[in-house]
Structures are given as structure tokens and as C-alpha cells.
Amino acid sequence: MSSFQFLPYQRNILIRNVALSSLNCRITCRFSYVPTRNITTNQKKLNVHVSTKPIEFTSNLIFQKQRLESLAEKATNSLRCTDDITPDESTTTGTPVVNTAAIPFNVKPVDPRTRKLERSISASSTHSIQKRIIDPYLQLTKPRLTILVMLSAICSYALSPYPATITQLTCLTIGTTMCSGAANAINMGREPEYDRQMTRTHNRPVVRGLITPTQAYQFAGVMGFLGTTILYAGVNPLVASLGASNIVLYSWIYTSLKRKHIINTWIGALVGALPPLMGWAAASPLSHPGAWVLATLLYAWQFPHFNALSHNVRNEYKNAGYVMTAWKNPKLNARVALRYTLLMFPLCFGLSYFNITDWYYQFDSAIVNAWLSYWAFKFYWQQRLNYSKEYLKDKTKFNKGISMANVYARKLSMTSVLQLPVVLLLAILHKKGRWDWLFDENKNNNSTGKKLN
């Protein structure tokens, strides 16, 4: 390009094209001369020809194509602690040998074929099978809920006045567990789209895609069939029919009503009342009033437990489309929880009145029921204040009140989880006639001593 002098107000130099070559790292720039419009000067215009030929230049940084290194060489260079780098030697087979003299620890290159073989073996191992197959199907049964259902049936069976057998107890335990697992599996298979929207249920196996709804139904069909068959053959037809009814009641009626009306909570409580009837019917007739007292006890327990649990996730239930009392009518939700908690006192009294337990049971059970009633009352009273005119007008009071209600609901839910097994275990300990053998032995010893005297 010929040399000339550019005046800033006479000429503009525009960069038209910039091309970067990735191979030789060169930049090509095109310059063009555009005369300035409507600018008058006293200086003499220079009639200079501007060359538009591209000017090529090479940058100071020259990037050369690097040689591909093996995985072992890369690891060696990355982990090298000194600048003492010696060239690698090759074996007779042509495989590069890594120089690890400067590395303060042992580096063992792994053959990709060996690693692939190890992974295939790991995929077929027992741990992998458990993770991919056993665990998802186990989660499908809702293990904690199923265990609670099974224990309620066993406790009712233990409290029945008629004698029990090991065979009946074993069949009752297995059959009730399978029926409960089948009902829960159908419930999960029907609600993956809704469970996905809730933090409490978004990790369920059907939601995560570990199990398809069809597989859940198939698993539920097998479990339900085996469970009812075991109950029919090992216990009696009445218990088997109650188990099958519980599957239909939970997986079909209750699950369908959850998105339609708050009455679903009362229907769901019936599901909890059937297992005690199953346990009682395994050895004793349902005409005995003790069976219905136990069933009502389990029915009443559902409300303080579930109403407190649903309170803290009420917004998730609402967003997922579940019609629950917790967000439809918060005051009713707390009031119902307190109402059924107080019902525990006369129900426990009924167990002693109908000769299921001794009268000492009233003292033990009253302490546990009072503990549950305390938190139920705190929850109810706080909700009553929260939705009063005074709190609704003051947002600060309302927000603080809701926070306190959340705490009381959490306490109530945790207390209910402990209260039910304690009440049932105390009933078993105080079962009518359980300690008669001890007192009879003392009487016999006393009478024998008198005769000897």
C-alpha cells in the first residue's frame, strides 16, 4: 500500500470483513475508503488512491496443532510435580511407557477394555439388581405405611379374646402386607402426573420413570391376588374379602375422590379402620363390640395425623390439584383434628368397658392421649386466631400466626406417629387376663402356706 496522510475529518476507514483462519491463525482485514459527506475544509484535498487489497498479517501467537497424547501421558503431565520431563520410552510392542520418576505416588494406567469389563460385571452384580429392580418395587408398596397397616392388624389379632395360632398369624401378616402393597402400587400408578408436582412424592419410582404405570398395575395384580389367596386359604374368607375391599377402597374410590371433594379424607380413614377388623376377624367374630372399638380407634387416629401432615404441604396439594381440607377450609381442618383426638379418650375407655383390657389401661392411655390432645388443641387454637378478623386485618400477625400453626402441626404429626403404637402396645400389655397367671400363682403360694401352718 502506498503511503499517504489521512485526515480524520476527510476520510473514514471501515472494516468490511474480518476472517479468522483456525488453521494458520491469520486475520484478514479489508479496508475501504468512504469519503466524508458535507464536510468543508480550508485544507487542500489530496487526490490519493486508496488500495483496497486485503492486508494479511500473522499474529504473534502461533498456535500449532498439538500431537494427540494418550490418556496415561496426559495424566502424567498433569500430575507432574517438577519440571524434569524426560521423553517416554516405548516397548517392543509399540505401547508408550509412562515415565513416572518425577511423580511422588504410583500411577497405574487402566486398560479401557479392562474398565469396560469391570463395568459390565458391576452392572450385573447383586447391588445393581437391588438398585434397579428391588428398591423401586419396594418403594411402590409405601413400606412405612404398609408396616403400620400390618402392625394394626397384628395388634388387633393379639387383642382378640379367642386363642391365636402361629399359622393364622403368619398368613394374616403376609396377606395383609401384600394387600396393602397392592393398593399402594395402584395408587402410585394412577397419579404420576400429580405426584410429580409435590416435593413429598416427586421421588416415587413411577414419577422418576423407574417403573411404568403398566408395570405398577401388573405388580399390584400379582400382589393383590397372592395376598387375598393367602388370607382365604390361611385365615378365612371374611378376612380375604376385607383385604380385597380395602384394595378397591383405597386404590379406586379414595384415589379418585382426592381430586374432587374433601370427603376423600373421611373415605381414606375407612381404609385405616379395615385392618383392625381383619386382625380381629382372623380369630374372633365381628359381632364382638371390641372389634368395632379398635376399628374406630384407628379411624379416629387418621385425622390428627393426616390433617396435621397435610397442613404443612397444603400449597403443594393445591397446586397438584388435590382437594384437601387443609387448603379448602383451614379452620375445619384443625377443628376436625382436635375433635377426633378427643375421641381417643372414650374409645380407650371402651376397650376396658368391653373387657378387652383391664382398668389400669385407662391411666396409661390417658397420659398418651393427653399428650396428643395438647398439640391438637394448640394447632386448633392457633388456626382459630389466624382466621379471626383481628389477624386477617393485620398481615404481620397473620404471617406469624401461620408460622406458629406450622410448628404446632408438625408437632402434632410427629406425636401421632408415636401415640398410635404406644396405645396399641399398652392395650396388649393390659389385655384382660394377661397377668392372671402371676396373681393366681401368688394366691396358690399363699393358700399352700396357710395349709402348712
Side-chain angles (χ1 to χ4, degrees), residues 382-398:
Q382 188 61 55
Q383 286 291 77
R384 183 175 178 271
L385 293 176
N386 292 341
Y387 292 94
S388 63
K389 293 182 179 180
E390 179 185 356
Y391 276 61
L392 290 175
K393 291 179 181 179
D394 191 340
K395 290 185 178 180
T396 303
K397 284 186 176 181
F398 179 77

Side-chain angles (χ1 to χ4, degrees), residues 146 167-183 218-247 278:
T146 297
T167 303
Q168 277 188 340
L169 179 61
T170 303
C171 293
L172 175 67
T173 303
I174 297 174
T176 304
T177 302
M178 286 188 169
C179 288
S180 177
Q218 293 172 349
F219 174 75
V222 174
M223 291 280 288
F225 175 77
L226 291 178
T228 52
T229 302
I230 291 173
L231 291 175
Y232 183 87
V235 188
N236 57 59
L238 177 59
V239 177
S241 62
L242 289 174
S245 301
N246 215 13
I247 295 175
M278 294 171 61

Side-chain angles (χ1 to χ4, degrees), residues 169-223:
L169 179 61
T170 303
C171 293
L172 175 67
T173 303
I174 297 174
T176 304
T177 302
M178 286 188 169
C179 288
S180 177
N184 292 326
I186 297 174
N187 174 263
M188 285 194 188
R190 293 187 60 189
E191 298 180 331
E193 296 300 326
Y194 304 97
D195 290 343
R196 186 175 289 111
Q197 304 177 48
M198 296 184 62
T199 305
R200 191 170 67 92
T201 57
H202 76 280
N203 280 328
R204 288 179 173 176
V206 181
V207 177
R208 294 164 58 193
L210 301 177
I211 297 175
T212 64
T214 303
Q215 291 174 332
Y217 298 147
Q218 293 172 349
F219 174 75
V222 174
M223 291 280 288

Side-chain angles (χ1 to χ4, degrees), residues 120-194:
S120 62
I121 295 174
S122 177
S124 60
S125 63
T126 305
H127 177 71
S128 179
I129 294 175
Q130 178 183 354
K131 187 176 181 181
R132 290 184 295 106
I133 299 176
I134 299 177
D135 289 347
Y137 280 100
L138 184 62
Q139 295 174 16
L140 203 62
T141 63
K142 298 182 183 179
R144 289 182 293 183
L145 179 60
T146 297
I147 290 174
L148 185 63
V149 170
M150 178 261 295
L151 289 177
S152 64
I154 292 176
C155 290
S156 179
Y157 182 73
L159 287 171
S160 61
Y162 288 83
T165 63
I166 298 298
T167 303
Q168 277 188 340
L169 179 61
T170 303
C171 293
L172 175 67
T173 303
I174 297 174
T176 304
T177 302
M178 286 188 169
C179 288
S180 177
N184 292 326
I186 297 174
N187 174 263
M188 285 194 188
R190 293 187 60 189
E191 298 180 331
E193 296 300 326
Y194 304 97

Side-chain angles (χ1 to χ4, degrees), residues 436-450:
D436 290 347
W437 63 273
L438 182 61
F439 295 106
D440 291 342
E441 184 178 354
N442 292 333
K443 290 180 180 180
N444 293 332
N445 292 335
N446 293 334
S447 61
T448 304
K450 290 179 180 180

Side-chain angles (χ1 to χ4, degrees), residues 14-15 31 35 41 67 115 141 147 151 201 208 214 317 343:
L14 302 179
I15 300 177
F31 298 86
T41 62
R67 178 174 57 87
R115 176 61 58 84
T141 63
I147 290 174
L151 289 177
T201 57
R208 294 164 58 193
T214 303
Y317 274 120
L343 187 60

Side-chain angles (χ1 to χ4, degrees), residues 244-288:
S245 301
N246 215 13
I247 295 175
V248 175
L249 186 63
Y250 182 78
S251 63
W252 183 255
I253 301 176
Y254 166 71
T255 302
S256 300
L257 286 174
K258 285 169 68 176
R259 295 183 294 276
K260 295 181 179 180
H261 198 273
I262 61 173
I263 197 66
N264 69 80
T265 306
W266 282 262
I267 300 299
L270 291 175
V271 177
L274 285 182
L277 291 179
M278 294 171 61
W280 190 279
S284 305
L286 291 181
S287 58
H288 196 289

